[in-house]
Amino acid sequence: MPLLGLSRLSLVAVGLALLITAPAHAQVSNETTSAVKVGPSGLPLPRFVSLKSSRVNMRVGPGRNYSVDWMYVKSGLPMEIVQEYDNWRRVRDAEGAEGWINQALLSGKRTAIAAPWFKGKQADLPLYSEPQEGARTLAQIEPGAIGEVELCNGTWCRMRFDGHKGWMRQASIWGVYPGESIDD
């Protein structure tokens, strides 16, 4: 019997999607958080990290014998770890490219990209003095700008972009999960 137009199969699919997308450190009010997937490292999968070095090769497989698919030349670029194998991590970038990077080249430091989906368009994003709409605007951030994540409350993140420190809507950045809370 459908519940509010959703079949039982749809509800199971929604539940599985929550399990797959919510990291263990996200404070999501849902009983499925206790069943979050954990990788061999003991850390949640998926999770966000950043590039440690300004020159990082992403390979097509988990090892130095695999060919290089991409070379990243920007340290601090956020990456999403989606799989682990030995000391290799399968990552996804903001544009959806996936490949393998050695864990030694990744950092737990949280960074995020301002609305990469608007990159190249006239759509500057406000950086506010307080975590609320209508607060004083401290700066306008270009889509694609990389900033450091200081903390998030599930709706807003305190960010640092090139010396400007303020609050941005969590939904406007890539590198933090929806509803995820991050402490100092």
Side-chain angles (χ1 to χ4, degrees):
M1 177 171 167
L3 177 66
L4 298 174
L6 294 175
S7 68
R8 187 177 300 245
L9 184 58
S10 295
L11 291 172
V12 170
V14 169
L16 287 174
L18 287 172
L19 282 174
I20 292 168
T21 59
H25 55 279
Q27 294 177 356
V28 180
S29 59
N30 190 321
E31 61 188 51
T32 60
T33 56
S34 62
V36 170
K37 184 176 178 183
V38 175
S41 67
L43 298 171
L45 288 175
R47 68 181 180 276
F48 282 103
V49 295
S50 60
L51 297 182
K52 227 186 245 189
S53 176
S54 60
R55 186 176 166 148
V56 175
N57 292 329
M58 183 168 72
R59 298 180 179 275
V60 297
R64 294 181 59 88
N65 56 330
Y66 288 94
S67 64
V68 174
D69 198 23
W70 286 96
M71 178 186 287
Y72 295 98
V73 292
K74 176 78 175 152
S75 67
L77 188 68
M79 292 282 174
E80 182 180 29
I81 295 178
V82 295
Q83 187 179 356
E84 298 177 345
Y85 175 76
D86 195 28
N87 61 342
W88 291 87
R89 304 296 179 257
R90 184 173 179 86
V91 298
R92 179 182 305 126
D93 68 17
E95 295 177 3
E98 288 191 20
W100 294 86
I101 295 178
N102 189 289
Q103 71 176 4
L105 300 171
L106 300 171
S107 168
K109 181 179 176 180
R110 295 296 293 270
T111 62
I113 301 176
W117 46 90
F118 289 138
K119 193 172 180 178
K121 298 178 182 166
Q122 291 297 103
D124 289 345
L125 303 159
L127 188 65
Y128 294 112
S129 59
E130 301 292 327
Q132 62 188 20
E133 294 291 337
R136 186 170 54 95
T137 300
L138 302 173
Q140 292 291 333
I141 307 299
E142 289 183 29
I146 299 172
E148 296 176 33
V149 177
E150 293 184 342
L151 66 92
C152 295
N153 65 17
T155 305
W156 294 88
C157 291
R158 190 170 68 202
M159 303 282 300
R160 183 183 305 269
F161 289 96
D162 197 28
H164 298 282
K165 183 177 173 180
W167 294 87
M168 186 172 279
R169 279 206 154 286
Q170 200 158 327
S172 298
I173 59 175
W174 188 89
V176 177
Y177 294 105
E180 180 181 10
S181 294
I182 299 172
D183 298 327
D184 293 280

